[in-house]
Amino acid sequence: MLGRPALRRFALYPRTNVFANDIQRFRQFSGVGTSLVYEEYGDPEKVIVQTKTVLPKLQDDQVLIRMIAAPVNPADINTIQGVYAVKPRLPSVPGNEGVGEILDVGKNIGNELQPGDRIIPKINAFGTWCTHALASPSELIKIPSDVDIATAATIAVNPGTAYRMLKDFVSLKSGDTVIQNGANSAVGQAVIQIAAAFGVKTVNVVRDRPAINELKEFLIKLGATVVVTENELRKSEEVKALPPPSLALNCVSGRSGTELLRQLAPKGIMVTYGGMSRQPVTVPVGTLIFTDVTLRGFWMTRWNKEHLNHPARHQMLDELFHLAQTGDLKPPDHTFVPFSNFRVALQNAMPSEGMLGKKQILLFE
């Protein structure tokens, strides 16, 4: 299991929260917070309950955090269902990422963190679906205070995944082409924007749907070079006019992953980071032999664990926040849901027939 046992952190360390104009009131925090907790794996709408808990006394080497916002990611849903690679010790508080604010610090913290600083979790499975927490500074990353809440709450997992896949597998240069499926997902939207900032062209494959033209327009405005449906991919003249992609990013697998492989340039690499179709990756023999493609996998949780205190992690976040501050990286299409309406967020976060809607972000009131 990654990070501390969930029971040790969350059954003892509860939380509450509020908006920025109420900071002074919440710096007089009563010590009683609210967390979402599950004691068994299963349907999130059935196993998640809201509970109040009493925070222990702030220790000299700890900080007190109020959570501001936390997204509901597919990995969070899968973890609650018990089908994800990470299975926390139960009972557990869900939530792998989010943004919080320091309310108070222990006397041994020094100037490392101060009240008013914004932070995101450094460790995986932090348990962000709560209102307050106590944590060690080693478990947190201080972030710029002028980044909008939606970006700050969602920057670690999906933009981080996009950034690493664009950086770590192929030495891309301006004018190169990358192809991806699931282009309307949160990772897909981040890939489009980060690639555009690097001068890299993107071929973006999406499922057909009634509002396909609106989706294409949305992704083009984000910076996509070409947006096509799975059925349009092979015959698209726009795709054929681009340099063959040296990198393919696959979150769907099945037939969609196979079609990406067919588009790769000789010795190209396909990185698989998801399997929304719940089908295996199948490699055509001709593509494997005559094009000599390489298949790789990527999991942001593993990368974070391997680079917990590595400078590359801070460099990545610095660049992502810079892109956000310059307007080159926007948060995924999202909606804020009050924490008290968490069941609405859970319902809307469940994919329907492989389709992903707006990112649900819990907003602590």
Side-chain angles (χ1 to χ4, degrees):
M1 186 180 68
L2 302 179
R4 294 182 179 178
L7 177 63
R8 213 167 48 187
R9 167 178 284 279
F10 301 114
L12 298 178
Y13 300 169
R15 327 177 174 186
T16 21
N17 160 52
V18 163
F19 295 106
N21 58 1
D22 290 325
I23 289 174
Q24 189 58 45
R25 177 160 66 92
F26 275 81
R27 285 189 177 145
Q28 300 169 359
F29 174 51
S30 66
V32 179
T34 305
S35 301
L36 298 183
V37 178
Y38 63 109
E39 296 185 352
E40 60 180 329
Y41 297 114
D43 181 348
E45 294 180 52
K46 296 179 180 178
V47 301
I48 294 290
V49 296
Q50 192 175 74
T51 182
K52 289 189 179 296
T53 41
V54 178
L55 220 65
K57 180 182 178 181
L58 177 68
Q59 300 299 305
D60 293 344
D61 59 350
Q62 290 180 320
V63 298
L64 171 64
I65 306 162
R66 76 170 182 101
M67 291 303 298
I68 300 171
V72 181
N73 289 328
D76 297 321
I77 296 295
N78 293 156
T79 300
I80 298 166
Q81 292 169 330
V83 298
Y84 199 58
V86 176
K87 289 192 175 183
R89 183 185 303 174
L90 301 181
S92 179
V93 173
N96 199 42
E97 66 173 338
V99 59
E101 180 184 57
I102 302 298
L103 291 189
D104 200 2
V105 300
K107 65 180 183 180
N108 292 340
I109 298 302
N111 295 322
E112 188 175 356
L113 289 171
Q114 292 296 309
D117 288 345
R118 291 280 175 89
I119 56 87
I120 60 175
K122 187 176 188 178
I123 61 173
N124 291 299
F126 185 88
T128 54
W129 296 5
C130 58
T131 53
H132 287 81
L134 294 175
S136 164
S138 64
E139 299 173 305
L140 306 171
I141 297 174
K142 182 178 176 179
I143 66 169
S145 60
D146 59 348
V147 176
D148 69 272
I149 289 174
T151 296
T154 60
I155 202 163
V157 174
N158 294 315
T161 297
Y163 181 94
R164 295 263 57 99
M165 292 193 301
L166 290 170
K167 282 280 191 177
D168 294 350
F169 296 92
V170 173
S171 296
L172 296 169
K173 60 183 184 300
S174 181
D176 286 349
T177 305
V178 170
I179 188 170
Q180 66 166 339
N181 54 24
N184 58 313
S185 69
V187 172
Q189 292 178 44
V191 166
I192 289 169
Q193 295 173 87
I194 297 170
F198 292 165
V200 173
K201 303 177 186 298
T202 54
V203 175
N204 302 277
V205 184
V206 296
R207 289 173 179 261
D208 201 358
R209 65 201 69 203
I212 187 62
N213 290 332
E214 288 84 348
L215 176 58
K216 287 184 176 182
E217 182 180 356
F218 171 73
L219 296 179
I220 291 293
K221 286 182 178 179
L222 280 184
T225 309
V226 177
V227 183
V228 292
T229 65
E230 293 173 344
N231 291 333
E232 294 170 338
L233 177 58
R234 285 202 197 187
K235 58 187 178 183
S236 170
E237 294 300 324
E238 289 182 288
V239 173
K240 293 176 182 177
L242 295 173
S246 55
L247 177 65
L249 306 177
N250 168 44
C251 71
V252 179
S253 300
R255 176 186 171 188
S256 180
T258 301
E259 289 302 317
L260 293 192
L261 284 169
R262 296 184 191 278
Q263 297 292 323
L264 276 177
K267 297 187 180 298
I269 296 175
M270 185 171 83
V271 181
T272 294
Y273 66 100
M276 290 173 56
S277 70
R278 300 186 183 277
Q279 298 295 318
V281 174
T282 303
V283 185
V285 173
T287 302
L288 190 61
I289 295 175
F290 302 116
T291 312
D292 193 17
V293 297
T294 299
L295 275 65
R296 298 287 303 275
F298 182 78
W299 186 28
M300 194 69 205
T301 297
R302 180 179 60 240
W303 191 91
N304 281 336
K305 184 179 180 181
E306 293 172 350
H307 297 79
L308 189 63
N309 296 304
H310 196 283
R313 190 174 188 186
H314 293 282
Q315 180 183 356
M316 172 186 71
L317 288 171
D318 286 347
E319 189 161 0
L320 290 175
F321 279 119
H322 175 72
L323 291 174
Q325 290 167 320
T326 58
D328 293 317
L329 178 63
K330 299 176 177 62
D333 194 16
H334 64 276
T335 184
F336 287 112
V337 180
F339 186 47
S340 57
N341 293 338
F342 71 92
R343 295 194 187 280
V344 173
L346 292 176
Q347 292 169 3
N348 293 336
M350 300 293 287
S352 176
E353 296 182 0
M355 302 287 192
L356 293 175
K358 290 185 176 182
K359 175 73 70 179
Q360 304 293 298
I361 302 178
L362 295 170
L363 193 62
F364 301 92
E365 301 156 334

